[in-house]
Amino acid sequence: MTSDSRIAPLTLPDTRARRIVEQLLAGSGVTLNGNQPWDLRVYHPDFFSRVLHQGTLGLGEAYMDGWWECDRIDEMACRLLLHGLGERAHTPTERLMYRLQSGFFNLQSKARAYIVGEAHYDLGNDLFERMLDPTMCYSCGYWKEAKTLHEAQRAKLELACRKLELRPGMRVLDIGCGWGSFAEHAARHHGVEVTGITISREQAALARKRCAGLPVEIRLQDYRELEGHFERIVSIGMFEHVGHRNYPTYFATVERLLAEDGLFLLHTIGSNSSEITADPWINKYIFPNGVLPSAADIAATSEARLLMEDWQNFGADYDRTLMAWLANVDERWHEIAANYNERTRRMFRYYLSACAGGFRARHLQLWQVVFSRGRLGRYDAPR
């Protein structure tokens, strides 16, 4: 079954679970088996009990299994979040278990650091090459003046370079370099020497290939193992994997590695709340052990180490970025369909669509924060 399927949906069962789901949806603008693009069409009689018992994990898995369909999951997710169903959609057991785990265990310890790389980023370069633009940026683009995904990603890379005030010959550290997008751009267009680290073998291999011939070194390494001295440090789309227990260590590491008059740019998704939570479906299928920082988390754990020079929020741009990735997946999936099953395709469609809805509803943010070690003089961040 595909996302544009027009197979007749199931006749809704007259059950208590169905009535409860309808009550939860009432007033959201989302209806069951409706005619709007954001309406939810049901194809399995156990859908309602599955969602009530398993929350967002059950909702996502049910979509992967073809139990329900929706033409615009992004719009559905946005409406449900604006209706206040975000936290209520997580079962009490899910919330309690994650908080207990996060409180008693360091889910992002050095011993566990490579789990997300193996589970998500190592899934296959062929998939990400088709989903992303030619820069291979797997983070929010900057759409202020951009009209295409490629323009938005190049604008984001250049914005980061300008905020860092790069000059030829500088030594730059890229924490969480991904497929080498920033390292390649900064070395090629600003003449700097870049050391990039990643926890994904697939990313490291492709990043080395893409940066061949440039003054770029790509390492498969955890940030806590770093040594050296750098005039500039950048971290784009990696802080989400650090974990709240490790924030002090992260900022201490940056302080130790950053030159006295250096600059550090942190680019991260942010949460509106300091409460430690994670969506169970995202945690299981996309980013294991991920935690989104709040503004308070970043401020409190950095203040003893670094001086905050600038803070910019362009979270609304992640909506457009995710929808562009979704369009690429839909348009080019046939090129890699033999390498992945239908459940994986639906997993990516659900992930990209639901996250776009989250940013559209302003439940998620995207921050670029610039820090120094207290250097003298005025700092004016470009926009």
Side-chain angles (χ1 to χ4, degrees):
M1 187 184 303
T2 61
S3 62
D4 59 354
S5 171
R6 284 298 178 270
I7 299 173
L10 179 80
T11 299
L12 299 178
D14 185 17
T15 62
R16 179 174 178 272
R18 171 233 169 152
R19 290 191 290 272
I20 292 175
V21 170
E22 283 188 320
Q23 290 172 3
L24 289 171
L25 294 178
S28 69
V30 177
T31 60
L32 300 173
N33 292 351
N35 297 319
Q36 297 296 331
W38 49 82
D39 287 336
L40 194 153
R41 303 191 298 277
V42 181
Y43 291 96
H44 196 287
D46 294 332
F47 165 79
F48 302 101
S49 59
R50 186 176 187 177
V51 170
L52 287 182
H53 285 98
Q54 299 179 348
T56 58
L57 177 62
L59 181 67
E61 289 184 335
Y63 180 77
M64 291 166 64
D65 293 337
W67 284 25
W68 63 276
E69 196 54 81
C70 177
D71 294 335
R72 292 293 302 273
I73 297 174
D74 56 306
E75 280 293 297
M76 181 195 78
C78 180
R79 282 166 167 75
L80 295 182
L81 289 170
L82 291 175
H83 187 54
L85 282 180
E87 185 65 10
R88 282 191 288 158
H90 299 166
T91 68
T93 301
E94 289 170 345
R95 294 197 296 270
L96 178 62
M97 286 303 295
Y98 194 83
R99 288 165 191 162
L100 287 175
Q101 285 181 327
S102 299
F104 288 102
F105 303 103
N106 186 353
L107 299 179
Q108 300 81 14
S109 65
K110 287 176 67 174
R112 299 170 58 89
Y114 292 83
I115 290 177
V116 68
E118 295 168 356
H120 187 71
Y121 298 112
D122 286 349
L123 189 61
N125 284 339
D126 59 344
L127 192 161
F128 291 106
E129 284 174 324
R130 285 156 180 82
M131 185 177 93
L132 308 177
D133 77 300
T135 68
M136 290 297 288
C137 282
Y138 193 17
S139 55
C140 182
Y142 191 53
W143 292 84
K144 182 179 180 181
E145 298 178 356
K147 293 181 172 57
T148 68
L149 175 63
H150 188 49
E151 290 177 357
Q153 294 294 15
R154 286 179 59 87
K156 182 264 301 294
L157 295 174
E158 186 58 25
L159 179 67
C161 290
R162 290 167 58 212
K163 286 182 177 180
L164 288 168
E165 300 177 351
L166 297 185
R167 295 189 300 275
M170 281 184 168
R171 295 195 63 212
V172 180
L173 172 64
D174 186 354
I175 303 177
C177 65
W179 289 278
S181 56
F182 177 86
E184 179 189 19
H185 182 91
R188 188 180 303 279
H189 298 288
H190 294 270
V192 297
E193 300 177 8
V194 185
T195 298
I197 64 167
T198 176
I199 54 173
S200 165
R201 296 183 186 279
E202 290 290 316
Q203 285 188 334
L206 185 56
R208 290 177 185 130
K209 181 179 178 181
R210 296 179 72 241
C211 295
L214 294 171
V216 173
E217 178 189 8
I218 303 296
R219 303 178 186 173
L220 188 67
Q221 188 176 25
D222 182 78
Y223 70 94
R224 285 160 286 204
E225 301 168 349
L226 282 165
E227 298 293 339
H229 210 52
F230 301 89
E231 292 156 284
R232 300 291 187 265
I233 300 178
V234 65
S235 185
I236 298 177
M238 176 270 181
F239 196 67
E240 300 89 335
H241 305 304
V242 169
H244 71 288
R245 291 170 66 94
N246 300 314
Y247 293 159
T249 299
Y250 179 90
F251 284 111
T253 300
V254 170
E255 180 193 28
R256 173 171 56 83
L257 298 171
L258 186 63
E260 195 67 34
D261 61 348
L263 291 172
F264 165 51
L265 183 141
L266 177 66
H267 174 117
T268 182
I269 298 172
S271 170
N272 292 343
S273 169
S274 295
E275 186 177 11
I276 301 169
T277 61
D279 179 84
W281 187 87
I282 293 289
N283 185 61
K284 180 176 180 179
Y285 288 98
I286 307 300
F287 299 122
N289 307 324
V291 178
L292 297 183
S294 69
D297 290 332
I298 294 173
T301 52
S302 67
E303 66 179 14
R305 304 284 185 177
L306 301 166
L307 174 66
M308 190 180 299
E309 299 280 5
D310 182 67
W311 190 303
Q312 182 181 11
N313 183 357
F314 51 96
D317 284 8
Y318 225 143
D319 178 7
R320 293 185 67 179
T321 303
L322 286 154
M323 293 305 292
W325 289 343
L326 176 62
N328 286 344
V329 168
D330 285 343
E331 182 179 345
R332 303 191 63 187
W333 186 264
H334 68 278
E335 299 175 13
I336 55 171
N339 301 335
Y340 302 92
N341 59 32
E342 175 65 6
R343 203 166 188 264
T344 300
R345 186 189 73 86
R346 293 178 70 85
M347 178 182 78
F348 265 81
R349 292 203 84 259
Y350 183 77
Y351 149 54
L352 297 171
S353 300
C355 288
F359 282 98
R360 195 173 306 161
R362 300 310 305 274
H363 275 237
L364 298 169
Q365 311 305 325
L366 189 285
W367 298 319
Q368 276 195 355
V369 192
V370 178
F371 297 90
S372 75
R373 293 187 61 184
R375 70 175 192 171
L376 301 179
R378 178 188 179 101
Y379 176 83
D380 289 308
R383 290 291 189 267

